[in-house]
């Protein structure tokens, strides 16, 4: 039965208001008519997760109940308005409203609790963030019922996504997707699953990392051996660069899993980086489509590498990252120093690494929010060497942090073995007036990444795009 099954994921803008939810319900219904079995995965309505992040931080630090009240009003208005437009059957409307009311009431209580206690654990933060999807999914399921479909809203855990308790970036430890979802599909019911969230074996709600609804869709597709995973978003596929940054960027009709993985990992926000792996393992095609323009073809991601004369396929960027430079003679011939650096950073997501040719420095790029954790862990690891203290021992002399930087990556399977491409890239960067602070080439050789000042990002990306993609 699953061979004729597809997973459809709709992002925040796609379910951003009542009209959009109606449109999404129609797409799901039409797909069901074509494919027989569909599972929908939905994000929180646009802006809701950001607002939840913001209010949980404010509840902790500002501790002003008026802020919680304003936030609750915003969430209520947004979801009520959506219900009003997306659900035109009185009975269904009342039912959905009841669910939304009780969830918002619960959210309010938790936020008041954080405000009074001044305490926010990673576990309670994940629980707060889960409300975005837990409020949008029942509305989408209600809109489907208004179209005459049978539908049920399910949480990630209820759909069989079982994770560890690494709150904020939980890892999947078990998938019980088939057991949980097949009974609904057999009854012709369309499950509408909350993206972004899973559940631990202890029953705690966890989140899979920002933008993680794409990953949820891939996990469900994997669990059900789906025929296809469709990612419905606000652009017509994966482009040669972020179309918001480079207006001349073009849609890429086809990509290989590896290329898409590199693009996602190095900043193409249109796909969460962890989305590709489950699909690739089972050879499930991923199709990226535009909810606003369903007639557009989108981007198809499969195992096939498109051979064309283009060496460079896309240029991506990562912002909100920092460069950490570790200097010290201890890295010359002292075995184990580098290993110790990485051991110290085992809980930090290191985006790029490069070691200077003199071996006296190592550069790392990490997310802004991980900088303090990284520095503290390095201090802890190297402190005990000489009692004179950190940074004055023989191994590590100094650590510098530069927060005003960004990463640019040039990606394309054709770059493998292509001579002179690195030289060309670096000449163009310098012509764009930017100074390269670090370079790294992925071992897959399908990308070259480098760090420049964030102020030079737009100029540099547009220049590279023009010379390496448009004029080629
Ligand atoms: P959703 O809410 O549907 O998950 P996201 O905002 O997470 O959508 O991702 C879609 C956005 O990704 C686009 O609006 C676009 O600005 C951005 N983006 C970044 N790089 C690319 C790229 N190479 N191709 C397409 N979109 C990109
Ligand atoms: N709502 C979550 C976020 O904004 C997950 C997602 O949209 O994919 O990060
Ligand atoms: Mg997204």
């Amino acid at each position: 039965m699953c061979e004729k099954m597809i997973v459809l994921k709709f992002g925040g803008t796609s379910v951003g208001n009542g009209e959009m939810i109606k449109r999404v319900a129609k797409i799901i219904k039409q797909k069901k008519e074509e494919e027989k079995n569909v599972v929908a995965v939905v994000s929180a309505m646009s802006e809701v997760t950001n607002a939840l992040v913001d209010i949980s931080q404010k509840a902790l630090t500002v501790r002003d109940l008026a802020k919680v009240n304003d936030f609750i009003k915003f969430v209520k208005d947004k979801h009520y308005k959506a219900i009003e437009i997306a659900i035109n059957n009185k009975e269904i409307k009342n039912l959905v409203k009841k669910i939304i009311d009780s969830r918002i009431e619960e959210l309010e209580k938790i936020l008041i609790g954080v405000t009074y206690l001044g305490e926010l654990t990673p576990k309670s933060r994940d629980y707060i963030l889960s409300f975005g999807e837990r409020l949008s999914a029942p509305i989408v399921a209600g809109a489907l019922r208004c179209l005459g479909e049978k539908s049920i809203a399910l949480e990630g855990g209820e759909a069989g996504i079982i994770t560890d308790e690494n709150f904020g970036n939980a890892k999947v430890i078990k998938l019980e997707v088939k057991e949980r979802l097949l009974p609904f599909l057999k009854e012709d019911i369309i499950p509408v699953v909350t993206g972004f969230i899973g559940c631990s074996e202890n029953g705690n709600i966890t989140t899979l990392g920002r933008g993680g609804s794409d990953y949820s869709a891939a996990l469900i597709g994997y669990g059900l051996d789906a025929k296809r995973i469709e990612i419905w978003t606000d652009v017509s596929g994966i482009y040669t660069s972020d179309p918001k940054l480079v207006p001349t960027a073009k849609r890429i009709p086809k990509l290989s899993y590896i290329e898409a993985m590199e693009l996602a990992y190095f900043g193409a926000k249109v796909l969460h980086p962890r989305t590709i792996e489950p699909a690739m393992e089972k050879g499930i095609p991923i199709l990226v489509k535009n909810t606003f323009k369903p007639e557009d073809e989108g981007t198809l991601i499969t195992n096939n590498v498109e051979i064309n004369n283009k060496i460079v396929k896309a240029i991506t960027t990562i912002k909100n990252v920092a460069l950490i430079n570790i200097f010290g003679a201890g890295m010359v011939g002292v075995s184990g120093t580098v290993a110790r650096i990485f051991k110290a950073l085992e809980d930090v997501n290191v985006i790029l690494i490069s070691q200077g040719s003199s071996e006296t420095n190592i550069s790392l790029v990490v997310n802004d929010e991980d900088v303090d954790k990284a520095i503290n862990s390095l201090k802890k690891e190297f402190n005990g060497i000489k009692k004179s203290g950190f940074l004055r021992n023989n191994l590590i002399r100094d650590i510098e942090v530069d927060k005003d930087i960004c990463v640019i990556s040039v990606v394309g399977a054709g770059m493998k073995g292509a001579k002179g491409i690195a030289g060309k890239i670096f000449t163009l960067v310098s012509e764009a007036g930017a100074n390269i602070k670090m370079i790294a080439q992925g071992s897959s050789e399908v990308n070259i990444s480098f760090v420049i000042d964030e102020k030079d990002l737009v100029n540099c990306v547009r220049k590279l795009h023009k010379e390496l993609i448009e004029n080629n």
Side-chain angles (χ1 to χ4, degrees), residues 9-14 43-44 46 211 213-214 231-245 250 252 263 267-272 288 291 314-317:
K9 177 262 171 177
F10 296 89
T13 330
S14 302
S43 289
S46 49
S213 298
D214 304 327
I231 305 290
W232 289 76
T233 183
D234 58 1
V235 284
S236 294
I238 301 185
Y239 281 60
T240 49
S241 202
D242 183 348
K244 284 186 190 128
L245 204 64
K250 294 267 177 307
I252 308 173
L263 280 171
K269 187 186 167 220
V270 60
L271 272 188
H272 185 276
V288 182
T291 314
I315 296 161
T316 58
T317 60

Side-chain angles (χ1 to χ4, degrees), residues 41 59 64 110 148 154 175 184 231 239 264 286 307 336 353 357 366 372 374 413 416 467:
V41 174
D64 176 0
I110 298 166
L154 296 174
L175 278 181
F184 293 112
I231 305 290
Y239 281 60
I286 300 176
I307 307 289
I353 306 163
S357 55
V366 302
D372 290 345
K416 203 167 178 166
E467 301 296 336

Side-chain angles (χ1 to χ4, degrees), residues 33 37 80 83 113 140 160 181 209 212 216 235 247 264 275 278 285 329 346 359 381 387 391 435 437 446 448:
E33 279 157 14
N37 289 299
Y80 271 28
I83 293 170
V140 175
L181 294 186
S216 307
V235 284
T275 311
E346 68 188 357
E359 284 188 55
E381 175 65 31
K387 291 292 176 231
L391 301 186
N435 175 30
K437 299 187 151 181
V446 304
I448 292 178

Side-chain angles (χ1 to χ4, degrees), residues 54-113:
D54 185 59
I55 190 63
S56 50
Q57 198 52 31
K58 280 197 181 123
L60 176 70
T61 52
V62 183
R63 304 182 67 181
D64 176 0
L65 280 183
K67 298 254 181 284
V68 173
N69 286 339
D70 290 348
F71 170 79
I72 293 296
K73 188 175 175 318
F74 155 78
V75 171
K76 240 186 205 162
D77 281 357
K78 181 146 186 141
H79 292 88
Y80 271 28
K81 269 190 195 145
I83 293 170
E84 216 41 62
I85 294 170
I87 302 178
N88 54 18
N89 172 302
K90 205 170 160 201
E91 206 179 314
I92 300 172
K93 189 180 281 185
N94 286 339
L95 225 92
V96 173
K97 262 196 177 149
K98 229 168 137 182
I99 300 170
I100 298 299
D101 278 342
S102 82
R103 295 221 161 133
I104 293 180
E105 213 171 283
E106 190 191 344
L107 175 61
E108 186 173 15
K109 278 188 198 145
I110 298 166
L111 289 171
I112 292 172

